[in-house]
Amino acid sequence: MIKENFTQEKRGLKNENIDSDLVIVGGGLAGTCCAITAARQGINVVLVQDRPVLGGNGSSEIRLWILGATSHMGNNNRWAREGGVIDEILLENLYRNPEGNPLILDTILIEKVTELPNIKLLLNTAMYDLEKKGNDTIDHVLAFCSQNSTIYRLKAPLFVDGSGDGIMSFMAGAAFRMGAEAASEFDEAFAPDQAYGELLGHSLYFYSKDTGKPVRFVAPQYANTEIEELPRFKSFNLKDHGCRLWWVEYGGRKDTIHDSETIKWELWRVIYGIWNHLKNSGEYPETDTHTLEWVGSIPGKRESRRFEGDYILSQKDLVEQREFSDAISYGGWALDLHPADGVYGEKPGCTQWHTKGIYQIPYRTMYSKNISNLFLTGRIISASHVAFGSSRVMATCAHNAQAVAMAAVLCKEEEISPSEILNEGRIEALKDRLVLHGQYIPNHVLKLKEDLAPLATISASSTMRLSGLAFDGPWKSLTFAAAQMLPLSPGKLPTMKFLFKAKENTKIQVSLLKSKKKGNFSPEVILAKKEFELTLGEQYLTIDLQINIENSEYYFVAFEANDKVSIRCSQTRATGLLTVFQKFNKAVATSSRQEPPKGIGIEDFDFWLPERRPEGHNLGFEFSEAIDLYSTKDLVNGIFRPTVSSNAWAACLNDSHPFIEMVWDKYQIISELKLYFDTDFDHALESTLMGHPEHEIPFCVREIEIRDGQGKVLAAIQDNHQTVVSLKFKDPIETDQLKLSFKQKLEHVPVALFGIVCLKK
């Protein structure tokens, strides 16, 4: 029992002082991935989250799906899904939760954080103040937990602001922007005028369900029952719920920080008004048995403050895909701006313009130019309003945050400030650490002095040579133009044979295309074109385009649309091979060709999109001569996804016991082994609502066994579903040979591996 007598003095709250290496404010996807990355590198982290769960906009409180450069597979960014911790989380979510239940994602995020003992997680804890030492350094922050009535004093040499509104950066005095820049400041032709609006609004979602019996609805008094005030409701789809209702948006004309509660109330008015209309207007009898299952209580916020780093990302950086020597991340979502009037406006819900490929994001955007020990992450990084329209999405924010975490680790190790990483070649070291742990940085090749794998002689039980893909798949109508993507090397293009079925005598046009920019996947340069006659019924067509391939990159063997013709597909799915179609995904585009208004600084081009599994078959074909797409040499080339080549070794389809052998000319001492598998970076792993047809990516190797030169089993993994498998040996092993054996689950998918890294002691 506790009993205290009256006191004339004011009582104080419990105070707790915590010293750490890194304090992260904000537990959205960015802050969470930042904390996990830093803690796994051995530093002590405090993660401050003002909500009861992690994940921010991706959590069960808001329920937005996690997306980034893949853009719902609706752009030309092939194999663009973000790597590292965010990839690990999305793959784990697929494995446990292909249905897309946001509550399950909550558990995964909490598990990933709490399994690391060097993360101090403070949920329901809001930072409210800070103290500086000198003008440009944060000394500590103060935070209050509403659930345990405790004030925390959090001190560290380094701080990360992933709070969304930038509360820590703001209070520290860091330079920031809010609203849209004039077009002239960064030469941004897409910069909006004030009539369109300078801020993106908030959205609030709801779920409904069919109970099987009549359900009545009495609207709350505050519901907006004047549905004619909502012009955008005209496009409402009764089957839509959750974050498909992203267009239920409001607040772009208000202060999206200080008016956030006002904005939330207005969104509640809108949602309950929409539901009242659906239930009680008599226009939607199919909703008679439906009830509201869930309505969000926290809006998904898109935009508020953006803080200034030593560089401000802008429109041309994205559209021109400019390269930066300090690039440590990338983006690829559309330049996606929303009209400020939101659901009350007449304008379309958003204006999305895509770049032809992914773009680099430089390190200089991820720390404050004013506060010496402050990193920026999430949506507050240093970007213009237009560039922010792309860089703001969760997977991009998480990928950036992992880079920030690794930079913080480097700062601690070398006792330097964030900006000093730019000096003395440390950026390359930072890039290497990131790629080693599964991230992808465009055009960076991993080269580690401590990697023993390139010193080994590597052989394989077999290596797949591509002579074709069996004609054993479904027929695909050429309602849309189709193309088989192939990573080709210099030399004569072999003759190819395809199988067609024509409804009548007709013609088919075949082209060979490539991208203007090497490394992109926007087929726009026509290298060859021929027309062929087809007769009624099934027939093979031999195609000789009589062309020499000059550069190693991806090429598109394309067939013009003809709805009188179908082409036979294959059941075989193989790493680095993909079929795409000239069509569009209505979630992110309105036409199969992007044709923006003249003068906004965005390029015209065609979309060539893959289909989602269980569709997404390659075309069946035969080459007159087999070509080499895969090699054991690619296992040590330092690139772990398809780029201008497959960058992979693949075994033959009929190899029942595929393995890799590594032999050194002398004994080596190995402390860690890293293997990089194919988890189909082209597949957008939306975290919630949509659902996926499988628990594991079909390309990913499930079973792995590793033996040393004496035949001793060093590791055996039975149920792998992750991209990166890391084996840290408690006692470093000494051997001159390793044998890596693999088992694949699906008979039509060859075992494949992107890379091997053997770290010496």
Side-chain angles (χ1 to χ4, degrees), residues 621-689:
F621 63 90
E622 287 182 5
F623 277 133
S624 59
E625 299 176 22
I627 62 174
D628 294 317
L629 299 189
Y630 308 105
S631 171
T632 55
K633 292 180 181 178
D634 287 333
L635 295 173
V636 292
N637 74 356
I639 306 171
F640 306 132
R641 65 176 65 198
T643 53
V644 297
S645 68
S646 69
N647 294 313
W649 162 78
C652 294
L653 263 175
N654 61 359
D655 188 344
S656 58
H657 296 93
F659 63 83
I660 290 288
E661 284 190 326
M662 307 177 70
V663 179
W664 289 269
D665 58 8
K666 61 181 181 180
Y667 275 74
Q668 308 291 338
I669 301 176
I670 302 171
S671 63
E672 184 175 1
L673 179 68
K674 284 184 173 287
L675 306 177
Y676 301 83
F677 292 103
D678 183 2
T679 53
D680 189 5
F681 286 112
D682 202 65
H683 188 78
L685 291 173
E686 292 93 344
S687 55
T688 192
L689 191 63

Side-chain angles (χ1 to χ4, degrees), residues 143-167:
F144 172 67
C145 178
S146 60
Q147 300 302 297
N148 64 10
S149 291
T150 300
I151 292 175
Y152 295 97
R153 181 181 182 274
L154 308 173
K155 184 178 176 65
L158 296 165
F159 295 84
V160 176
D161 193 339
S163 63
D165 287 338
I167 178 66

